[in-house]
Amino acid sequence: TYVIAEPCVDLLDKACIEECPVDCIYEGGRMLYIHPDECVDCGACEPVCPVEAIYYEDDVPEQWSAYTKANVDFFDEL
Ligand code: SF4
């Protein structure tokens, strides 16, 4: 799955939502989240993010690794 990290917080550009073929990017509070079970790993969202907030799960920068779990937790709590 792809993961959205800190640069999205309070920005919510939403260009990624337009690109996602399976509509698995959701708005939640201060940022957007990618549903880990619905994402098909197509990568279409990554290049359109103006602030490079989106990463493949194995490529999330170390300082933002907590966002991988936050992404999963967001949907667990719904
Ligand atoms: Fe949607 Fe593809 Fe991005 Fe996953 S990688 S969130 S399926 S656009």
Side-chain angles (χ1 to χ4, degrees):
T1 188
Y2 275 68
V3 171
I4 299 179
E6 187 166 277
C8 184
V9 176
D10 292 332
L11 180 71
L12 297 93
D13 176 82
K14 300 186 189 148
C16 56
I17 291 179
E18 309 271 308
E19 290 302 315
C20 182
V22 294
D23 293 329
C24 69
I25 305 176
Y26 299 85
E27 188 171 344
R30 296 175 62 195
M31 62 179 286
L32 303 175
Y33 294 92
I34 294 173
H35 197 302
D37 297 330
E38 296 176 5
C39 175
V40 295
D41 291 346
C42 72
C45 54
E46 186 181 0
V48 300
C49 177
V51 292
E52 294 183 34
I54 308 177
Y55 298 88
Y56 181 63
E57 59 184 329
D58 291 342
D59 300 328
V60 176
E62 178 86 44
Q63 72 270 30
W64 295 331
S65 57
Y67 283 84
T68 305
K69 184 173 185 305
N71 209 74
V72 172
D73 289 348
F74 175 73
F75 293 101
D76 280 349
E77 287 163 11
L78 288 182

